[in-house]
Amino acid sequence: MPHPCARINPAALAVAMAASLAVGSATAAATDLYYERSLMAEAGARCNLFTPQIQSALVSAREQARGAALRAGGSTHDIRAIADRARDRARSTPCDSRDLGIAAQRVRSSFAGYARLIRQDFPGDVGVWRADRSVNSRRPVWKLSQDARQGALQMRLGIAGRPGAEHLMAVATFPDRVPPYTARIVMRDRRLTTGPYLDTRGASLKSLPLHMRIPRSGPFESYSAESRSPSGADLLPSGMASGWAFRFPAAAAAAIAELDPRESIQVEFLFASGPPQRLFLEVGDFTAARAFLAVRAG
C-alpha cells in the first residue's frame, strides 16, 4: 500500500509545516510529519527551493519530527523506511512540478519566522539542548549545551568556541578532588548493535533514568579528550567559579548525532588515583539542534 503522503499535497503540507516545531504528541501523526518534512528537505536540497536559512530550519524540524516519531513508539527500522520513501518520492518529482512549487511556498511562509530565531531550546524526556546561533567574534561562547550534575560534580557539554573554531567540549568542576588527567565520552557502539538500549523493565520511557538508557556492559565506543586546560571564565556555567575544559574530536559529535534520541551518553572523568566519576546526558534532539546551528540566522 502506498504511503498516504505519496502524492505531494500542498494543503496537507501547509497544515503540517504550520504546526508547532516542538516535539509532537505520541500519535501516528508524528510519522506523517516526519515523512512530509523529509520529503520537502530532500526536494529543497535537490531543487534549490529554499534559502540556506529556510533549508537549515527545515532540516532541524525534520530531525525534531524524527525524535517525536521514535518517542511515539516508532521503530528505528520503520523510521528509516519512511525516510527512504520520502527520499525516493522527492527524487522522482520534477523540480518544476506545480504541486511541489505550491508546497515549497507554503514551507517558506511557515518557516520564515523560525529561520530568523537566534536561540532555541530542544527538550527531550530528561535533558534540554540549548542552541544559540548568534555571532560573537570577541570571545568564546556556548553554541549548544546540556548541563548535568551529580553531587558536587557539575558539568556542561556541547559545542563551544569562536566562529570558525568551535569544538565539542565539556567544562566541569571538581571541588572535592584533584582534577582528572583526562575525560572520555562513552556511548553504545553503533557498529556492533542494531538499536538503542532502553532498560525500561515495564516502566514509562518518559521517566527512565539516563543510566538505564545506555548498555550496562557494552559494546561501547569511546572518544578521549584531545586536550585539557583550565576553563576560561567565558565558558563557565552559572554557579561554577572555576573548572576544567576538555576538548573532544569532531568524530565524537558525529557519533552522537547518529544515536537514537531516546538513549544517553556517558562522560567519564579519569583520575590518577581513585575511581572515575561519571555523568550521563540525554542524546535527545542533538541532531536537530546541530542543524539549527548549521546556518547563521538571517
Side-chain angles (χ1 to χ4, degrees), residues 149-202:
R149 186 164 194 162
Q150 181 175 309
L153 176 57
Q154 181 182 353
M155 181 194 70
R156 174 170 290 178
L157 177 79
I159 308 296
R162 294 181 176 88
E166 297 162 350
H167 306 279
L168 180 67
M169 297 182 64
V171 170
T173 184
F174 309 91
D176 299 332
R177 303 189 64 170
V178 174
Y181 65 86
T182 192
R184 63 185 179 186
I185 296 175
V186 180
M187 66 190 77
R188 172 179 61 87
D189 193 322
R190 302 154 295 144
R191 299 159 295 186
L192 301 178
T193 55
T194 58
Y197 178 89
L198 302 169
D199 186 12
T200 59
R201 301 190 184 187

Side-chain angles (χ1 to χ4, degrees), residues 7-11 13 40 89 93-94 96-106:
R7 294 186 61 193
I8 296 176
N9 185 325
L13 284 177
M40 292 308 297
R89 181 59 183 169
T93 300
D96 60 356
S97 162
R98 180 177 179 275
D99 282 352
L100 181 60
I102 295 172
Q105 184 54 48
R106 309 268 188 170

Side-chain angles (χ1 to χ4, degrees), residues 72-96:
S75 70
T76 303
H77 177 270
D78 290 343
I79 299 304
R80 188 179 298 117
I82 290 171
D84 290 342
R85 286 199 297 271
R87 186 180 304 109
D88 291 343
R89 181 59 183 169
R91 290 177 178 177
S92 65
T93 300
C95 290
D96 60 356

